[in-house]
């Protein structure tokens, strides 16, 4: 049973999804209205829109926020400047994977941490003890991922400067009059963008991209399609690829 409600649930059901649980959120693993090869082909040759809001998003703010992440992740976060993001691992005290994440530096003393599906929250809570920081779980923030070679062509019609946004960088902007953060990141191996928006804006953004982008070949894609794409691109999926779930002997 999912305890995290998706504002796009009815859109996913209309596309034929039964909405299975992932990470505590209703997630469209497949759509009956399309086939996985069609979705896969769209992302490799044009673009598709996916709802990956099941990822857990946290805001970490305060004077010691960089010290928390310096301890909790594998990165030297002092090298990360506002507007930059990095992929990072989170390890236990004995050097085993606890989770993975993307760190987004949103200001001098503010970060957004998007976790995979492991014990990253617990790692952050421990790291925050005794520090001048606040850690906030943001389940209102939705993550709509537009992936594929023409994603930038579509967004360039609405977002000035999007073509110049470097890989693993993000920008605060507006889309269809809604305040969003757009990050040049993804999980497909293609050029793509993640659109972080408020739950109340997710429906309009989802509907508008699919309606306007239809003529360009943009379609909705499911979570299983995303899994195909990340395997092709050798991108890890916690806990299946980088944990103790399937240990090697000795």
């Amino acid at each position: 049973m999912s305890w995290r409600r998706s504002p796009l649930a009815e859109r996913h059901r209309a596309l034929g999804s039964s909405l299975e649980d992932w990470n505590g959120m209703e997630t469209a693993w497949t759509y009956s209205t399309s086939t996985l090869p069609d979705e896969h082909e769209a992302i490799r040759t044009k673009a598709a829109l996916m709802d990956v809001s099941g990822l857990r998003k946290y805001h970490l703010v305060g004077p010691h926020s960089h010290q928390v992440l310096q301890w909790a992740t594998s990165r030297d976060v002092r090298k990360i400047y506002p507007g930059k993001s990095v992929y990072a691992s989170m390890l236990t005290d004995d050097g085993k994977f606890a989770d993975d994440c993307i760190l987004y530096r949103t200001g001098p003393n503010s970060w957004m941490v998007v976790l995979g599906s492991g014990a990253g929250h617990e790692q952050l809570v421990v790291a925050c003890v005794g520090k001048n920081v606040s850690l906030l779980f943001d389940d209102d923030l939705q993550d709509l991922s537009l992936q594929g070679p023409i994603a930038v062509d579509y967004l360039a019609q609405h977002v000035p400067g999007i073509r110049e946004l470097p890989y693993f960088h993000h920008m605060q902007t507006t889309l269809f009059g809604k305040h969003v953060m757009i990050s040049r990141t993804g999980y497909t191996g293609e050029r793509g963008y993640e659109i972080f928006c408020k739950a109340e804006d997710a429906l309009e953004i989802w509907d508008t991209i699919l309606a306007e982008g239809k003529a360009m070949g943009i379609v909705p894609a499911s979570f299983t399609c995303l899994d195909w794409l990340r395997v092709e691109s050798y991108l890890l999926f916690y806990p299946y690829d980088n944990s103790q779930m399937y240990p090697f002997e000795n």
Side-chain angles (χ1 to χ4, degrees), residues 27-191:
T27 300
W29 283 95
T30 58
Y31 293 135
S32 65
T33 54
S34 63
T35 68
L36 282 170
D38 291 339
E39 297 171 26
H40 177 276
E41 181 72 11
I43 291 177
R44 286 289 182 243
T45 62
K46 295 176 183 176
L49 183 63
M50 293 169 284
D51 180 9
V52 292
S53 301
L55 293 164
R56 299 190 187 192
K57 285 81 64 181
Y58 292 82
H59 302 288
L60 180 68
V61 297
H64 295 158
S65 54
H66 73 285
Q67 295 179 18
V68 169
L69 296 175
Q70 192 77 354
W71 180 86
T73 75
S74 60
R75 289 286 190 167
D76 183 354
V77 301
R78 295 170 297 183
K79 298 179 180 179
I80 307 167
Y81 46 84
K84 180 81 171 72
S85 55
V86 296
Y87 175 79
S89 301
M90 306 181 77
L91 305 177
T92 62
D93 287 342
D94 56 356
K96 296 179 180 178
F97 281 94
D99 209 339
D100 60 2
C101 62
I102 293 184
L103 308 176
Y104 299 82
R105 191 162 199 166
T106 53
N109 292 323
S110 59
W111 302 74
M112 184 170 74
V113 183
V114 179
L115 297 174
S117 55
H121 173 245
E122 290 83 350
Q123 297 281 101
L124 290 174
V125 169
V126 169
C128 286
V129 173
K131 301 291 195 303
N132 186 0
V133 292
S134 296
L135 181 66
L136 174 67
F137 174 51
D138 188 352
D139 216 20
D140 183 75
L141 196 65
Q142 306 299 299
D143 185 355
L144 307 184
S145 188
L146 183 63
Q147 300 287 312
I150 68 165
V152 68
D153 297 324
Y154 174 78
L155 288 174
Q157 301 173 70
H158 301 283
V159 182
I162 193 71
R163 290 191 188 276
E164 290 71 49
L165 187 68
Y167 190 41
F168 269 86
H169 284 70
H170 51 92
M171 63 193 298
Q172 303 289 338
T173 185
T174 57
L175 182 62
F176 316 132
K178 312 298 183 183
H179 294 286
V180 298
M181 187 179 91
I182 298 181
S183 171
R184 189 176 160 188
T185 48
Y187 200 40
T188 63
E190 294 292 341
R191 180 168 182 165

Side-chain angles (χ1 to χ4, degrees), residues 1-4 18-27 29:
M1 176 70 68
S2 299
W3 58 271
R4 303 169 64 203
S18 58
L19 289 178
E20 300 173 60
D21 180 88
W22 177 68
N23 220 7
M25 179 171 274
E26 304 162 311
T27 300
W29 283 95

